[in-house]
Amino acid sequence: MANEYDAVVVGSGPNGLAAAITLARGDLSVLVLEANATIGGGARSAELTLPGFVHDVCSAVHPLAAGSPFFKTLPLERFGLDWIQPEIPLAHPLDDGSAAALQRDVDLTAHSLGKDARAYGKLMKPLVRDWEKLAPEFLQPMLHVPRYPFALGRFGIRAICPATWLTKALFKNESTRALMAGIAAHSFLRLESPVSSAFALVLGTAGHAVGWPIPRRGSQSIGNALANYFLELGGKIEIGRRIENLNQLPKSRITFFDTTVWQFARVAGDRLPNRYRGRLENFKHAPGIFKIDYALSSPIPWKAEECRRGGTVHLGGTIDQIANAERDVARGKVPERPFLLVAQQSLLDESRAPRGQHTLWAYCHVPFGCKIDMSEQIESQIERFAPGFRDCILARHQMSAVDLEKSNPNLAGGDINGGAANLAQLIARPVLSPTPYRTPLHGVYLCSSSTPPGGGVHGMCGYHAARAALRDIFDKRLPANP
């Protein structure tokens, strides 16, 4: 019986759509199946609070999308993707009313850091200079032959260090240390953990090289642009198609799962060899998040001027305070003063809220599967640096770690990264192999954030998975269509 399609992709997140586009560009017929009523996965937007207030359902600020080597090859602007660059990509306030700020220009940033100016420039300038070389290197499996070994080596020596050690060794100012600690906390790791510095270096370098932009009209614009380009290539998308087992799939030569390893293990069931299924089931989760979207009557009354101009603001105080909060989360304890990430999209994009009003996107880290309402802790942290914030609130939309999983099974326990990004799981993600996307099932591949390079809206997991499948077809590992 002839195949209905050359390839079927389960899931329409950025990685699933990246895989679908790569396959369609290779002249394969491709069908994307999406369980939800809207495409986009983590790149979606909706009116979550009040009419006219557009909120990002999951991802909001996109340095890795702007810097993605794969996305740069796509005509996404032609399909409506318009990046907005904040004047200040990132601000980090302190209790004295001051704030450290990451600006696009390395020298301006360094100058603002006072006595840490020279150390910051010495650390960041070579990385920014080498961004075009480095981005393809760290946005692929760690087990590979590097094209630029010297540039990668310079990065890797510092990247493997714990963030607390590297930051305190290099910088003297509490403000500089806090700025770097907040970026490192994107790892969801204890800041004393190996490779936690890698996240500070990658995202900090991206802030200078490509910015921390937001997409006009919401993150849904990313998913829509990818989907519309895929459709132009001849692909097909079906929404409301939830796959519970492999028998529900249309007949195809190859199949891709843009799902977490745990979901894939459930769908594949007994067809997986015991050893491989055990590896997937034992793959370690990252902590979860508690997220609130706000409709506001006015901009946030930040004490620090830099925060009033920042697209993203990190709230957590000093490096030691952030490290303590992340340590509590790693131990399964809810922190009293959690580390917060907030995004102020409506300051830059008038389409996000009615005239004169605003949105705020905020989340904090919590233990995996946490059911506790963190609204009070989040609002106390914002009030700490912006007295009067509560007076601006018109409406809230809260989602606990458990609520996030109900809305999207890929966010199991509130884990938005597809699994912990510790050193072991960066090397073996999800298995130790130069081609970790290939599963033991013939013609079946994983392409989600549970594969390299991991979490983030960059499409590189899907791109690399599809390239692996195309090589398998070329090498005749997979049979030709009958």
Side-chain angles (χ1 to χ4, degrees), residues 181-209:
I183 307 174
H186 282 252
S187 67
F188 284 84
L189 300 172
R190 298 182 192 216
L191 298 193
E192 303 87 357
S193 299
V195 306
S196 53
S197 286
F199 292 81
L201 297 177
V202 170
L203 294 175
T205 302
H208 296 304

Side-chain angles (χ1 to χ4, degrees), residues 51-319:
F53 290 84
V54 178
H55 304 277
D56 290 326
V57 175
C58 190
S59 62
V61 182
H62 299 281
L64 294 183
S68 168
F70 175 62
F71 284 173
K72 286 182 178 180
T73 70
L74 309 180
L76 299 181
E77 295 81 5
R78 183 157 57 84
F79 294 92
L81 181 57
D82 180 18
W83 292 117
I84 302 174
Q85 293 283 1
E87 180 184 355
I88 295 177
L90 170 65
H92 189 119
L94 295 169
D95 287 312
D96 62 2
S98 67
L102 186 151
Q103 302 182 57
R104 286 295 304 276
D105 187 89
V106 180
D107 288 325
L108 283 177
T109 304
H111 179 72
S112 72
L113 298 176
K115 59 187 176 184
D116 286 328
R118 183 177 180 182
Y120 186 86
K122 187 176 180 181
L123 173 68
M124 300 304 293
K125 280 186 176 181
L127 299 177
V128 175
R129 181 195 64 218
D130 290 341
W131 172 261
E132 296 298 330
K133 297 177 181 177
L134 286 170
E137 295 283 11
F138 50 61
L139 291 175
Q140 65 171 300
M142 286 187 69
L143 296 180
H144 72 277
V145 178
R147 185 176 180 184
Y148 301 103
F150 296 110
L152 186 61
R154 285 193 297 269
F155 164 79
I157 290 171
R158 294 180 176 89
I160 201 168
C161 296
T164 47
W165 183 89
L166 182 70
T167 300
K168 290 184 177 182
L170 292 178
F171 304 117
K172 297 179 175 62
N173 290 337
E174 278 299 328
S175 56
T176 312
R177 292 175 173 181
L179 178 69
M180 298 302 289
I183 307 174
H186 282 252
S187 67
F188 284 84
L189 300 172
R190 298 182 192 216
L191 298 193
E192 303 87 357
S193 299
V195 306
S196 53
S197 286
F199 292 81
L201 297 177
V202 170
L203 294 175
T205 302
H208 296 304
V210 297
W212 282 26
I214 66 166
R216 193 178 302 278
R217 295 178 299 278
S219 293
Q220 187 72 53
S221 298
I222 302 173
N224 289 348
L226 290 167
N228 287 327
Y229 178 51
F230 169 62
L231 294 174
E232 183 182 83
L233 293 172
K236 184 178 179 182
I237 299 174
E238 294 183 5
I239 60 174
R241 288 285 305 272
R242 187 175 300 277
I243 302 300
E244 302 287 355
N245 62 73
L246 297 178
N247 294 330
Q248 294 175 304
L249 290 167
K251 189 172 177 58
S252 64
R253 297 170 69 188
I254 49 179
T255 304
F256 293 78
F257 281 85
D258 183 15
T259 65
T260 64
V261 290
W262 308 282
Q263 283 183 272
F264 174 64
R266 286 195 295 269
V267 171
D270 293 341
R271 296 199 194 182
L272 290 175
N274 290 337
R275 184 175 179 181
Y276 184 83
R277 184 171 66 248
R279 170 61 185 164
L280 300 191
E281 291 173 346
N282 292 321
F283 197 65
K284 186 178 180 181
H285 281 283
I289 67 168
F290 182 96
K291 178 174 180 283
I292 307 183
D293 290 285
Y294 293 96
L296 304 177
S297 61
S298 64
I300 298 173
W302 300 108
K303 288 190 288 186
E305 174 61 26
E306 293 88 345
C307 296
R308 298 174 186 234
R309 296 183 285 137
T312 300
V313 182
H314 287 163
L315 304 179
T318 66
I319 183 173

Side-chain angles (χ1 to χ4, degrees), residues 5-9 15-32 70 74 226-237 254 256 462-463 465-467 469-470 473:
Y5 300 93
D6 291 319
V8 171
V9 179
N15 283 314
L17 291 171
I21 288 169
T22 304
L23 298 165
R25 285 170 130 187
D27 295 325
L28 273 63
S29 60
V30 186
L31 170 67
V32 173
F70 175 62
L74 309 180
L226 290 167
N228 287 327
Y229 178 51
F230 169 62
L231 294 174
E232 183 182 83
L233 293 172
K236 184 178 179 182
I237 299 174
I254 49 179
F256 293 78
Y463 168 74
R467 293 285 297 172
L470 290 171
I473 292 173

